[in-house]
Amino acid sequence: MVNSVNSMRIGGLASGMDIDQIVSDLMEAERIPLNKMEQDKAWMTWQRDAFRDVSKSLSELDDLVRDMRLQKTYSTKETSSSQSGVTATASASASSGTYTMEVTQLATAAINVSSTGISADSTAKIDPLGKLSEQNFAGGVTVPDTLEFTTYHNGEETHQIAIEAGDTLSSVLTKVTDQDNGVRAFYDVQTDKVVLERTEAGDYNPGGEEIVFNGNSGFFTDTLQLTQAGEQNGTDATFIYNGAVELTSKTNSTTLNGVTFNFLEETTGAAQVTVSNDVDASVDKIMAFVDKYNEVIEKVNGSLNEPRYRDYKPLTEAQKKDMSEKEIELWEEKAKSGLLKGESMLSSGLFDMRQGLYAQVDNGSQFSHLSEIGIKTSSNYLDAGKLIVNEDKLRDALKEDSDSVYQLFSNDTEGAGRGIMHRMDDAINSTMRSIEERAGRGLQTLEQYTLGKRLKDVDNQIDRFQDKLTQIEDRYWRQFTAMEKAIQRMNEQSSYLMQQFNG
């Protein structure tokens, strides 16, 4: 329809008028309501994004809040050892104090190595990638259909490895290693020997070998020069704990009373291992929370109190064409100011967070208020409730009774005894849910949140109004085209009359 009308447009040929400009000016006036709709849409889009930006900051704060609910945040342990042969790590539940550990034997894995080089000619060693039957082994090559051996790491187990005609030494040893049998094997070219060893330390067959050759063992004994007697059996680690208890372990580590001891070498006498609270780590985590909380408080308060310049509407594309990039930037800075000014859901969320932080916690421990561990609110009203930390007092509280600090922050109960971080988590999540209802999340459709529904309504209004504008513009052109045709006819009649009078 539009195309047919456009093809009939006459641009002032008869009247001499600039019809294009006249219609353009008329349509500019007609578009005023459309411009307002587009400005409303831009404003709502900005506001939605501003809400989501606040929600993102709250989510980041909530991540720290969850960490602050963990006992390890307040009871991180550090360890030291008097001997390099013993190191240790301690869980949050480990008791602080000094432990002694005397390591009399390390855990080792069983190992068997070829007694001599397996190549017949040491100057022209076998090719581990060549077919077994074509290699010159010192003891000859006996290639059975299967290799069979027994291990004891999961109780007594017998394992079989199928040997194929095209197998090489390397492929056979790889089959041994890849099978789930607790054994690995490889050929060392430099020494011309095969190594067959357990993958785990420990003595799993006391008094006997841990890799026992079965059946046709000629490949092991003759071709690979491995002897049963040549196995060096695995050993358990043996150690004396606190000078009183002699214990063993299949590995070179053991965990006792929340402390994991790692054995690197046999000790000279007993090593002293000291476990203490890592106050620095706890302070760093608490300070990270405080810094993020203050950042969020400043950001949200700034948004709530940001001035709104109602004379600065979002720019339309047509308006931007007549402005420089700098002018657009300065204009939109004013236009975007006050997007969240006075939003009650945000001010209510800040109030709930402050209440959660400042209210007393009746948890039966030594500390029931933040001020007792050196954390209080700023006395400067311009800070709008930011937290100030006395690090010395906080360190003293953590050294004196880290468990009470943990209870103050993380007591998991309802009512007056609910820990500060649980209250904070409740307040943050409630605010984020309200924001989500209003502004949605990235993957939600417009129908799933309030601003989205309004945006969709505006989009529909814009579409309808654009159709209306097309109809109005077509009407103007039809009217001007009709006028041009009438003037053309009049001109033709006038010309005819003039010809008659002059004839």
Side-chain angles (χ1 to χ4, degrees), residues 260-279:
T260 299
F261 299 90
N262 302 299
F263 310 141
L264 305 180
E265 59 188 20
E266 296 176 5
T267 60
T268 302
Q272 285 193 333
V273 175
T274 302
V275 177
S276 58
N277 286 332
D278 188 355
V279 174

Side-chain angles (χ1 to χ4, degrees), residues 6 9-11 17-35 318 321-322 469-470 472-480:
N6 287 343
R9 288 175 177 173
I10 301 174
M17 299 167 59
D18 188 349
I19 304 301
D20 282 332
Q21 187 61 47
I22 294 172
V23 173
S24 178
D25 292 342
L26 289 170
M27 291 306 300
E28 190 67 32
E30 296 285 355
R31 286 192 180 91
I32 291 175
L34 177 63
N35 292 340
K321 289 178 181 178
D322 298 326
L469 287 177
T470 300
I472 291 172
E473 186 176 10
D474 287 346
R475 189 186 74 229
Y476 280 139
W477 273 105
R478 286 195 301 271
Q479 290 170 340
F480 279 109

Side-chain angles (χ1 to χ4, degrees), residues 379-424:
S379 58
N380 186 346
Y381 78 95
L382 293 176
D383 286 337
K386 287 184 179 179
L387 297 178
I388 305 296
V389 181
N390 181 331
E391 284 197 37
D392 291 336
K393 191 171 183 179
L394 176 59
R395 289 177 185 278
D396 290 342
L398 288 165
K399 289 177 183 176
E400 180 184 349
D401 191 351
S402 63
D403 189 59
S404 288
V405 177
Y406 166 65
Q407 291 299 323
L408 172 65
F409 281 105
S410 304
N411 196 34
D412 190 7
T413 187
E414 299 297 329
R418 191 162 178 78
I420 288 171
M421 289 302 114
H422 287 283
R423 296 174 181 177
M424 282 287 292

Side-chain angles (χ1 to χ4, degrees), residues 295-310:
E295 177 190 317
V296 172
I297 288 290
E298 181 177 5
K299 179 174 185 173
V300 177
N301 271 315
S303 298
L304 288 171
N305 298 309
E306 193 174 44
R308 181 172 178 182
Y309 303 96
R310 295 184 181 275

Side-chain angles (χ1 to χ4, degrees), residues 307-407:
R308 181 172 178 182
Y309 303 96
R310 295 184 181 275
D311 292 336
Y312 287 80
K313 303 291 185 182
L315 294 169
T316 64
E317 291 303 317
Q319 289 170 329
K320 289 180 180 179
K321 289 178 181 178
D322 298 326
M323 300 173 69
S324 67
E325 289 187 8
K326 186 63 177 178
E327 288 173 331
I328 294 172
E329 179 184 345
L330 293 174
W331 183 282
E332 290 194 341
E333 183 179 333
K334 292 281 190 181
K336 290 181 178 180
S337 179
L339 287 166
L340 303 179
K341 183 176 177 61
E343 285 291 342
S344 59
M345 76 170 73
L346 299 183
S347 56
S348 177
L350 288 184
F351 177 80
D352 290 342
M353 283 194 287
R354 293 188 186 112
Q355 283 290 98
L357 281 172
Y358 308 152
Q360 185 145 327
V361 180
D362 299 328
N363 57 19
S365 69
Q366 181 177 349
F367 306 118
S368 59
H369 196 273
L370 275 179
S371 61
E372 295 172 351
I373 63 170
I375 304 176
K376 61 180 183 179
T377 56
S378 171
S379 58
N380 186 346
Y381 78 95
L382 293 176
D383 286 337
K386 287 184 179 179
L387 297 178
I388 305 296
V389 181
N390 181 331
E391 284 197 37
D392 291 336
K393 191 171 183 179
L394 176 59
R395 289 177 185 278
D396 290 342
L398 288 165
K399 289 177 183 176
E400 180 184 349
D401 191 351
S402 63
D403 189 59
S404 288
V405 177
Y406 166 65
Q407 291 299 323

Side-chain angles (χ1 to χ4, degrees), residues 97-116:
T98 300
Y99 305 80
T100 64
M101 183 64 70
E102 181 179 358
V103 182
T104 57
Q105 178 176 277
L106 291 177
T108 61
I111 185 170
N112 199 339
V113 182
S114 301
S115 56
T116 63

